[in-house]
Amino acid sequence: MKFHNRYINGEDGRLVYNDIYRLGQEAFDEKHYADVYSVLVETFNRVAFNLKIILSELKSIGYVLNDESGLNFQKPLLAPLPNTDHLLIKLDNAVSDFGYVPVSLKLFYSIVGSCNLGWNYDKNPNLFWRCADPIQISSLNDVVSEVSDTDWKEYLIEVLEDDISQDPCLELAADYFHKDNVSGGPPYSIQITKNKSIDSLFLNEAHNTTFIDYLRICMENCGFSRITDPQYKNDYQAFFEKVKPQLKSI
């Protein structure tokens, strides 16, 4: 059965994606790519659907979000930009000396847009949930603006020369401490790959996994990848019971 048929017929997304990952570069072969691409499109349509549900439910419980009229990186949920295709070309060109932007990130920007479910501690310093790590993916125009700066390229070259184990990457989100307005670690970033890739690693994030799997974890936890960590004693059960039945599995 084709990947897309397996996916829409309800097979666990992890199993479908594991088989896709095992293809490696063969995923881009003519006999596979249309099928693989269809799975990714369905995945990100589900992510977009889920984020709208989560955002609506957060508003209903008084969760303090950033102002939707603010800058793009602050907006809780921002639809794909009108010039997304043009910006993705600029992004490809900017990183071409280092490798490729994964298809997964391109489709996130084309279908979902960007999101930031971070707590607005300027309006209310008392966090709803501690170290819950709300999903945050920078807007495409902000990422392109950063990598279009000549200083970015020079800095990345220096980093890679100093430590050959480092991967070139694109910064997409603050870490969970910074999201709580305390000092923390390096930003969550997506790996720029040497060869064309369907997906790649989501770096500096605790689950040590791929971008798509990170999104899956966020969706399974109603937008908050670390909310269930027992050390923080977050009271999330009522929110989960209301929200999770409304979400689509990815």
Side-chain angles (χ1 to χ4, degrees):
M1 188 181 292
K2 288 181 176 289
F3 296 124
H4 184 251
N5 288 340
R6 290 167 55 191
Y7 194 57
I8 64 173
N9 286 337
E11 185 171 338
D12 189 327
R14 291 179 182 83
L15 299 179
V16 177
Y17 271 102
N18 283 343
D19 287 344
I20 290 173
Y21 297 148
R22 276 194 283 268
L23 289 174
Q25 289 298 292
E26 288 185 31
F28 291 94
D29 288 352
E30 185 176 346
K31 62 182 177 181
H32 294 303
Y33 189 62
D35 186 21
V36 170
Y37 191 84
S38 295
V39 173
L40 267 70
V41 169
E42 176 65 21
T43 296
F44 288 108
N45 278 325
R46 294 182 186 186
V47 171
F49 174 88
N50 288 349
L51 285 172
K52 290 176 183 176
I53 297 292
I54 293 168
L55 178 59
S56 175
E57 294 294 349
L58 286 174
K59 290 178 179 178
S60 74
I61 62 172
Y63 184 93
V64 183
L65 295 147
N66 284 290
D67 191 337
E68 294 186 8
S69 65
L71 299 172
N72 282 353
F73 76 88
Q74 296 176 312
K75 294 180 180 178
L77 190 57
L78 179 67
L81 300 171
N83 60 338
T84 291
D85 290 344
H86 172 68
L87 289 172
L88 287 175
I89 291 172
K90 291 187 69 173
L91 184 59
D92 276 336
N93 291 336
V95 307
S96 60
D97 287 343
F98 305 100
Y100 295 85
V101 178
V103 177
S104 57
L105 183 63
K106 293 181 179 181
L107 282 178
F108 182 92
Y109 283 131
S110 297
I111 296 173
V112 181
S114 62
C115 58
N116 181 4
L117 300 186
W119 179 262
N120 188 335
Y121 42 76
D122 290 331
K123 286 187 176 180
N124 185 343
N126 301 311
L127 292 167
F128 210 89
W129 295 301
R130 287 185 59 227
C131 293
D133 207 1
I135 186 171
Q136 177 190 77
I137 304 296
S138 294
S139 62
L140 177 56
N141 66 307
D142 289 326
V143 174
V144 171
S145 177
E146 180 181 358
V147 301
S148 297
D149 189 328
T150 56
D151 289 342
W152 175 81
K153 186 174 181 179
E154 293 174 0
Y155 169 75
L156 187 53
I157 290 172
E158 289 180 5
V159 168
L160 298 175
E161 287 177 347
D162 289 342
D163 185 354
I164 60 173
S165 68
Q166 289 281 347
D167 291 299
C169 59
L170 299 169
E171 296 180 358
L172 296 183
D175 80 320
Y176 69 102
F177 282 118
H178 279 106
K179 288 173 185 173
D180 281 12
N181 196 31
V182 295
S183 180
Y188 300 161
S189 306
I190 194 168
Q191 177 190 36
I192 298 170
T193 55
K194 293 181 180 178
N195 301 306
K196 289 193 299 183
S197 60
I198 297 300
D199 195 21
S200 68
L201 296 175
F202 198 53
L203 305 170
N204 306 322
E205 196 275 332
H207 295 90
N208 191 30
T209 190
T210 63
F211 179 59
I212 288 175
D213 197 48
Y214 167 74
L215 295 176
R216 182 178 293 115
I217 292 166
C218 287
M219 297 303 100
E220 289 174 348
N221 290 282
C222 301
F224 299 81
S225 67
R226 296 175 62 95
I227 194 171
T228 61
D229 189 327
Q231 69 177 304
Y232 300 117
K233 298 181 173 61
N234 289 317
D235 184 9
Y236 57 85
Q237 289 296 343
F239 182 69
F240 272 33
E241 288 171 5
K242 185 176 182 183
V243 176
K244 287 190 76 168
Q246 303 180 60
L247 303 183
K248 295 182 178 181
S249 170
I250 72 164

